[in-house]
Amino acid sequence: MACSSAPTLDSRAYTDAPVRVELTEVPYFPDDPYQCGPQSLAMLLTASGIATQPDALVDDVYVPGRRGSFAAELRAASRSLGRIPYQLDPSLPALVAALADGYPVLILQNLGLGFAPTWHYALVIGYDRQEDAFLLRSGPHERLVMSTRHFERRWRLGDYWAIVALAPGEMPGWVQKEQYEEQLAYLETAWSASVESVYQQMLSRWPDSTSANLGLGNIAFGRGQLDAAQIHYQQVLASDGENIAALNNLAEVYGRMNRVEDAFEVACRARALAVDHPLESAVAATLRGLQSHYPGHRCAAL
């Protein structure tokens, strides 16, 4: 059986990171039995600029029957308050990079064994490469120092789950497009005042972003800016020719422009792709609207 050495913070993977980071401004809330989820999330959100308390989050994230919280509830509560719960890559370098950029990290640990887990949420607030340790706000401990070996083992048993709370427009260098887009889809309402600028920032960084182009297309369409909406939807289709949402929305734009042949061409493509798809009813409604205005046009039978 092969052996491997325990991970340490004294390696080439961390040569660009500061020797020591401690986010001392992160608040600490006293721990209640079984409620490490609300406690850790309140600390994370408050550090990101959302003033809250663990008691205010209990109803949203605490499951009394299980005496604990689930990751899905923690992420949903973050989104409802206007923060992206961005999930880090499952690695110590990713964790160190976030901390070095000033982001506390909410993690899931298993304090027990693989076959007899004891789940626990904690907030990582720093690390010390010389001491080879991480610093946490954890349960009753305002400042818990944990060796990298013990920390990594407990975190590994929690499947390396870790999130940071990103405010509108925050896109550190370690943020990846797919993960960011996935979470942003939930936040258009919560970020209504700033979502357009966020989409623009995304396009500056990721010109082929489907979410950003769709979002900006929808905003332009809502304002009656049909030429701009058309450009954004077409950019989506340039990289994903079978994107049903873009096809459907582009059909509506062409209909408003009285480009009848183009409208039916993309609407019929959307219809063929949308069978048994969540957007099937929306596509059908768009096609019915076009047919009511231009009754002489039909799609070929599927």
Side-chain angles (χ1 to χ4, degrees), residues 201-212:
Q201 287 178 272
M202 291 175 66
L203 281 189
S204 295
R205 181 163 171 179
W206 304 302
D208 63 342
S209 170
T210 295
S211 293

Side-chain angles (χ1 to χ4, degrees), residues 70-263:
F70 293 100
E73 279 73 22
L74 296 177
R75 296 180 78 167
S78 301
R79 290 191 293 260
S80 71
L81 292 171
R83 290 293 182 263
I84 277 191
Y86 181 85
Q87 188 162 339
L88 297 179
D89 284 346
S91 69
L92 287 175
L95 179 63
V96 166
L99 292 166
D101 277 350
Y103 290 91
V105 182
L106 194 162
I107 63 165
L108 176 64
Q109 297 178 306
N110 179 358
L111 306 184
L113 300 171
F115 61 88
T118 300
W119 303 115
H120 177 69
Y121 292 102
L123 197 69
V124 189
I125 61 165
Y127 63 86
D128 190 322
R129 289 171 54 197
Q130 289 183 333
E131 297 295 328
D132 197 20
F134 282 90
L135 311 174
L136 298 87
R137 303 235 192 279
S138 178
H141 305 285
E142 183 173 358
R143 186 181 184 275
L144 176 64
V145 180
M146 186 178 295
S147 71
T148 298
R149 181 172 64 87
H150 284 101
F151 174 86
E152 193 276 339
R153 178 187 178 280
R154 294 177 174 185
W155 189 34
R156 171 166 41 87
L157 291 174
D159 291 330
Y160 294 111
W161 187 87
I163 63 171
V164 297
L166 298 178
E170 286 186 326
M171 294 180 208
W174 33 265
V175 165
Q176 298 181 20
K177 181 180 70 171
E178 292 76 14
Q179 171 66 244
Y180 193 88
E181 286 184 334
E182 177 187 344
Q183 293 302 314
L184 185 64
Y186 296 95
L187 284 161
E188 288 191 358
T189 300
W191 284 3
S192 58
S194 55
V195 68
E196 184 175 7
S197 64
V198 172
Y199 284 140
Q200 294 287 7
Q201 287 178 272
M202 291 175 66
L203 281 189
S204 295
R205 181 163 171 179
W206 304 302
D208 63 342
S209 170
T210 295
S211 293
N213 275 306
L214 273 176
L216 289 171
N218 293 343
I219 291 171
F221 183 68
R223 293 172 177 167
Q225 299 168 341
L226 301 181
D227 288 337
Q230 172 190 341
I231 289 171
H232 286 297
Y233 295 143
Q234 287 176 333
Q235 288 188 352
V236 174
L237 294 170
S239 57
D240 179 9
E242 296 188 350
N243 188 291
I244 297 171
L247 287 168
N248 180 71
N249 297 355
L250 184 58
E252 293 199 43
V253 169
Y254 284 152
R256 296 278 186 92
M257 291 176 162
N258 292 317
R259 292 173 55 175
V260 182
E261 297 297 333
D262 290 333

